[in-house]
Amino acid sequence: MTQLNIVILAAGKGSRMHSDKPKVLHALAGRPLVQHVLDCAVALQPQQVCVVYGHGGEAVPQAMHRYPAKFVIQEPQLGTGHAVQQAMPHLPDEGRTLVLYGDVPLIQQNTLHQMQQAGESLVLLTVNLENPAGYGRIVRNTRGDVTGIVEEKDALAEQREIGEVNTGIMLVPTKALRAWLADLRNNNAQGEYYLTDIVGMAVQQGVAVHTVQPAHEWEMHGINSKQQLAVLERTWQQVEASRLLAHGVTLADPARIDVRGRLNCGRDVEIDIGCIFEGEVMLGNNVHVGAYSIIRNASIADGTIIAPYSLVESSEVGANCLIGPYARLRPGTKLHDEVHIGNFVEIKNSEIAANSKANHLSYIGDSTVGSRVNIGAGTITCNYDGANKYRTVIGDDVFIGSDTQLVAPVTVGKGSTIGAGSTITRDTPEGELTLSRNKQTTINGWKRPTKKI
Ligand code: UD1
Ligand code: CA
């Protein structure tokens, strides 16, 4: 295959979004529109990627600075041909240039590969629409060869009947593209320099024009409004849900799951309604995720049950654990196998070894917890003195009574027991009972106050 350069047009204003943010930075499936396109572009391993931006100041280059792309400003915006022209000084003559759009986020690598393989010269991505209104039409001669693209506003009545439209995505020999762009004129209905006019020029010069259609129509859908964004988001979520179902995942309702990243599942995974998966998530075999749970950048090993309304973030959860309902695992949580974390328990930056339990109303932060530990209801690790954070270490086989405060830095010795209601400020000896509590007293004959009239 010939050498590839990619130009991503992203200078449009997007006034119909009614937003101060550049259109291409609005998110679909948790990622800015233009980031979807950049991810796809980079995966094709091109020589050069050029993003043409315009509105919103430096917001687009700043947001996408991690990508190995050249950011070129187009100011003013005089049409798609003018936009591509801005990128030309940065592209080598060799090979071909693929034109993509920052607001057409779901174009798939497969379709672009097909275009690369369709021919050596000019390749257009076209699609047949029931309702082609608004799109440039693909004009063909009686032999069926493409002779040009006519924009709707410039089209004759009979050309408007054509159902085959230009998606805008095209692959063009770069050296010829440079020459054709230099010859563009803006004597058309919109007074713009149309990229589409290069097709007629190619045909004039006897250059073969090939067309390819995308595997799915949604690949060419562009975003101009919040309505279109919402519709395409649902389309994409259906695609994700179908992929999971095809892989054998049980979804209580494929219309009520949101995947904003990559969700990898083992066998016999079950996901109830309303769950959100963000970033990289791995669910092992037989994992069940309860309703309305949110799992972000986490791995959950085989047989673990996440009960409803749990939030798991940047955590590693072992096998056969029971999490939730209403559990919150914050970044840096590592749970070994068969750990139970119950309702209203928050864990942060802590490692909990196998078979330990914190079932009710606790905060465990910056802690190392051994195996077979029972953390009673209401236990709090006091990890912060207002300025610095300290660690709590709890040995194997410890039993911590309810409503205990462990004031870090502190170590609770192996096999020891802490009496309920204690405030532990010093290390506790292994195997002993430690408690800090006022003695219980009874005041004989004490009377409750009565209401004064
Ligand atoms: C364009 C095509 C049309 C095609 C349609 C598909 C041209 C002349 N027409 O029409 O054949 O059916 O897309 O959606 O190319 N942009 C810039 N700078 C500019 C102008 C546009 O970056 O100066 C970007 C926009 O941000 C947008 C894309 O190019 O992402 C398309 O521009 P738009 O004005 O929407 O083109 P259409 O009129 O829809
Ligand atoms: Ca458009």
Side-chain angles (χ1 to χ4, degrees):
M1 248 176 297
T2 51
Q3 189 180 302
L4 184 68
N5 299 296
I6 299 180
V7 177
I8 300 175
L9 301 191
K13 188 163 180 201
S15 29
R16 283 202 276 148
M17 297 296 271
H18 299 291
S19 166
D20 293 334
K21 194 155 70 169
K23 174 165 76 171
V24 297
L25 293 185
H26 288 264
L28 182 134
R31 266 182 305 159
L33 300 176
V34 67
Q35 193 175 333
H36 286 264
V37 184
L38 274 162
D39 285 336
C40 183
V42 168
L44 294 172
Q45 299 184 304
Q47 194 80 4
Q48 179 72 261
V49 179
C50 232
V51 178
V52 180
Y53 69 102
H55 283 275
E58 296 304 299
V60 171
Q62 270 163 17
M64 297 298 126
H65 73 273
R66 281 202 186 78
Y67 286 86
K70 189 118 208 132
F71 294 88
V72 190
I73 193 154
Q74 183 200 15
E75 187 56 64
Q77 283 106 40
L78 303 178
T80 49
H82 177 255
V84 175
Q85 230 165 10
Q86 310 312 304
M88 294 318 288
H90 307 283
L91 305 182
D93 262 341
E94 298 74 46
R96 290 191 288 184
T97 295
L98 174 65
V99 181
L100 299 175
Y101 298 82
D103 59 358
V104 181
L106 296 184
I107 185 67
Q108 301 293 298
Q109 261 185 71
N110 268 346
T111 295
L112 300 175
H113 279 307
Q114 296 243 313
M115 288 178 72
Q116 285 180 287
Q117 282 152 10
E120 285 298 308
S121 59
L122 181 56
V123 183
L124 306 176
L125 187 69
T126 74
V127 66
N128 288 77
L129 296 181
E130 291 272 314
N131 175 13
Y135 290 97
R137 308 299 205 279
I138 305 296
V139 183
R140 292 178 184 267
N141 62 20
T142 46
R143 283 204 309 274
D145 300 329
V146 173
T147 57
I149 298 176
V150 58
E151 291 306 294
E152 167 144 312
K153 286 183 177 140
D154 304 288
L156 305 167
E158 70 253 33
Q159 290 173 325
R160 290 193 186 164
E161 298 299 310
I162 299 170
E164 187 183 9
V165 306
N166 173 33
T167 64
I169 294 172
M170 55 178 81
L171 188 54
V172 194
T174 308
K175 201 169 170 193
L177 175 63
R178 206 185 300 280
W180 294 330
L181 288 174
D183 282 348
L184 286 183
R185 296 290 172 266
N186 64 348
N187 52 346
N188 51 52
Q190 302 182 80
E192 289 182 5
Y193 295 93
Y194 290 165
L195 174 63
T196 45
D197 284 351
I198 67 161
V199 178
M201 295 177 182
V203 171
Q204 289 288 310
Q205 294 174 16
V207 174
V209 180
H210 304 275
T211 60
V212 165
Q213 300 229 331
H216 317 91
E217 192 189 299
W218 45 257
E219 291 184 46
M220 57 76 70
H221 285 166
I223 302 296
N224 296 300
S225 66
K226 287 289 171 80
Q227 282 88 341
Q228 289 173 341
L229 179 59
V231 169
L232 201 58
E233 174 79 36
R234 283 307 102 203
T235 302
W236 181 246
Q237 293 304 338
Q238 277 169 27
V239 172
E240 289 280 12
S242 302
R243 188 182 64 80
L244 292 167
L245 292 170
H247 183 73
V249 176
T250 300
L251 298 180
D253 181 355
R256 283 182 289 173
I257 177 173
D258 284 83
V259 180
R260 301 171 189 158
R262 239 195 309 271
L263 172 58
N264 292 292
C265 294
R267 293 177 80 78
D268 297 300
V269 167
E270 295 188 15
I271 300 172
D272 210 335
I273 61 165
C275 293
I276 302 175
F277 299 90
E278 296 186 337
E280 287 282 335
V281 176
M282 298 278 292
L283 304 181
N285 300 325
N286 293 297
V287 167
H288 291 196
V289 183
Y292 301 104
S293 292
I294 301 174
I295 303 185
R296 181 181 299 144
N297 294 317
S299 69
I300 317 281
D302 296 357
T304 285
I305 293 177
I306 312 278
Y309 298 100
S310 295
L311 173 53
V312 177
E313 185 180 3
S314 303
S315 296
E316 198 183 316
V317 178
N320 301 313
C321 291
L322 287 178
I323 310 296
Y326 301 102
R328 181 173 183 205
L329 306 186
R330 289 173 53 198
T333 296
K334 181 175 161 75
L335 308 182
H336 293 242
D337 297 348
E338 301 190 36
V339 167
H340 295 187
I341 303 297
N343 39 219
F344 307 108
V345 174
E346 174 183 348
I347 317 272
K348 186 215 75 173
N349 189 31
S350 294
E351 180 164 357
I352 300 185
N355 296 97
S356 289
K357 297 174 185 168
N359 270 325
H360 329 269
L361 303 157
S362 280
Y363 172 61
I364 310 296
D366 303 307
S367 301
T368 305
V369 179
S371 299
R372 299 171 302 279
V373 169
N374 187 84
I375 297 175
T379 296
I380 306 284
T381 56
C382 309
N383 59 331
Y384 186 50
D385 62 6
N388 297 296
K389 302 249 168 97
Y390 300 97
R391 283 200 84 77
T392 299
V393 178
I394 300 174
D396 292 340
D397 301 296
V398 163
F399 182 98
I400 297 178
S402 296
D403 193 29
T404 292
Q405 298 91 49
L406 301 169
V407 181
V410 72
T411 296
V412 180
K414 254 193 256 177
S416 69
T417 302
I418 308 295
S422 295
T423 302
I424 302 298
T425 54
R426 284 175 283 126
D427 293 356
T428 74
E430 292 184 5
E432 304 289 352
L433 169 67
T434 301
L435 67 169
S436 77
R437 206 194 271 166
N438 286 333
K439 281 224 169 60
Q440 181 168 322
T441 55
T442 300
I443 298 168
N444 288 319
W446 182 83
K447 291 274 186 302
R448 288 187 193 164
T450 52
K451 197 168 172 79
K452 292 186 183 116
I453 318 152

